[in-house]
Amino acid sequence: GTMPFTPITGGTSLASLQTDDAYVTNIPIGFPFLFAGQTYSTVSISSNGWLSLSSVNTNQLTNSQTNAQAIDPLFFIYWDDMSGSGGTASYRTIGTAPNRIFVVQFLNWQRLSATGPMFDMQIRMHEDGTVEYHYRSQSGTHSGPTASVGIMDHNHDYQSLPSVAANPTPSTTTFTTSISAKPANEQFYRWSIAPCTSPPTPGKALITSNCSVGGAYFNISGNSMGINQTYEWEYSANNTTFTSISTPSPTPAYNWATPTNGWVRCKVQCGTGTPVYTAAVQLTLNTGLPAGTYTINSAAPTAGTNFTSFTDFASALSCGIQGPIVVNVAPGSGPYTERFVLGDVLGTSATNT
């Protein structure tokens, strides 16, 4: 359909996008944004006409289903070899809770080889999960565009528009990479979340991290979704009597800061309807690597106080440390031809090193 294009003013400049093949990461949305059952707080934005809900480390230049899967969840308003040279890009969160909107704006945007600006564009992410694309035509002409327009979630499920006609039917099986027209003036597209249904499908409870330091992380998969659906986590020491450990939330992901061994399950409810529950899963906490002296020796298996590789040692640190750690590489062992990246380690302090 069509809707007046309303430029944002007073937004934060994205001047680094105002060139060819540029992208920025960790741009704050300004509110928890729910998409396909997951919650996001930051985005990555490319001058090539896409916005990712992941913190990406590459600028996917070529629009394809495979490249989309590498950076999803993804909103691609007009993904092609675009350029922000001569244009302006900015973002702003407008409105008040619970009706805030995160707006990313591209003014005077064009395909790299176009003769002048082709159009203005906005991606609007509403607090209720609605996503809108807005366009305003400019006078520049195309030069062989082969664009993609649509959305993709974290499971690689997508809706791809076959064209930029007034009311195209999105496809979930054909990822279009050959759109040659530019959207009509004041064209817009909208993706909305449907209301939940009662009773919902609870899905399966997942323990995504069982660390005692820093807390345990839970989520669910295979559940139904919809507006007004809530998720509440419960704990039991005996897998019989459960008590709540969280408040009802519109998203299932949860971090239990002070976890205890036992069983957890998720209560899923649509509005004031009858709640349903996931099957309980057992939580056995990983307390972290005990204090002591360890070796890295490729000639011995990973067991006890030895690690076969630096990778195995890094894996053992995934839930932190309980005290001071000393690690020695066995003389004459190796060679070790692996890339070793050691991030923040839970439990470290002035004495726990």
Side-chain angles (χ1 to χ4, degrees), residues 102-183:
F102 176 70
V103 185
V104 176
Q105 178 171 273
F106 307 88
L107 297 181
N108 296 318
W109 231 248
Q110 65 183 64
R111 196 172 189 274
L112 182 60
S113 55
T115 58
M118 291 166 40
F119 42 59
D120 304 329
M121 306 184 292
Q122 285 182 350
I123 301 174
R124 289 181 167 246
M125 298 161 50
H126 294 246
E127 195 165 0
D128 67 0
T130 297
V131 178
E132 293 179 342
Y133 296 167
H134 292 256
Y135 307 86
R136 181 171 62 181
S137 185
Q138 299 288 1
S139 60
T141 58
H142 284 47
S143 179
T146 52
S148 298
V149 178
I151 62 175
M152 178 181 284
D153 70 14
H154 64 286
N155 293 315
H156 305 332
D157 295 326
Y158 64 84
Q159 291 191 13
S160 177
L161 300 189
S163 71
V164 286
N167 296 290
T169 301
S171 174
T172 59
T173 57
T174 300
F175 192 98
T176 298
T177 59
S178 57
I179 293 176
S180 59
K182 66 179 183 180

Side-chain angles (χ1 to χ4, degrees), residues 220-284:
I220 62 176
S221 66
N223 56 294
S224 61
M225 294 177 289
I227 294 175
N228 294 326
Q229 187 158 298
T230 58
Y231 306 87
E232 183 177 352
W233 287 90
E234 298 180 344
Y235 165 80
S236 173
N238 56 14
N239 200 20
T240 301
T241 303
F242 285 82
T243 57
S244 176
I245 55 174
S246 74
T247 58
S249 168
T251 59
Y254 178 64
N255 170 218
W256 189 13
T258 55
T260 303
N261 287 331
W263 285 261
V264 293
R265 70 181 186 183
C266 188
K267 172 184 172 182
V268 185
Q269 188 171 15
C270 177
T272 58
T274 302
V276 291
Y277 299 84
T278 65
V281 291
Q282 189 168 11
L283 173 63
T284 303

Side-chain angles (χ1 to χ4, degrees), residues 17-21 47-48 80-87 108-113:
L17 292 184
Q18 294 162 197
T19 184
D20 181 38
D21 295 339
S47 61
N48 286 319
D80 203 354
D81 189 9
M82 307 296 289
S83 173
S85 298
N108 296 318
W109 231 248
Q110 65 183 64
R111 196 172 189 274
L112 182 60
S113 55

Side-chain angles (χ1 to χ4, degrees), residues 9 12 22 61 64-65 76 82 99 103 175 201 206 230 236 254 291:
T9 58
T12 301
L61 308 181
S64 71
Q65 183 176 347
F76 39 109
M82 307 296 289
N99 299 306
V103 185
F175 192 98
T201 301
L206 304 173
T230 58
S236 173
Y254 178 64

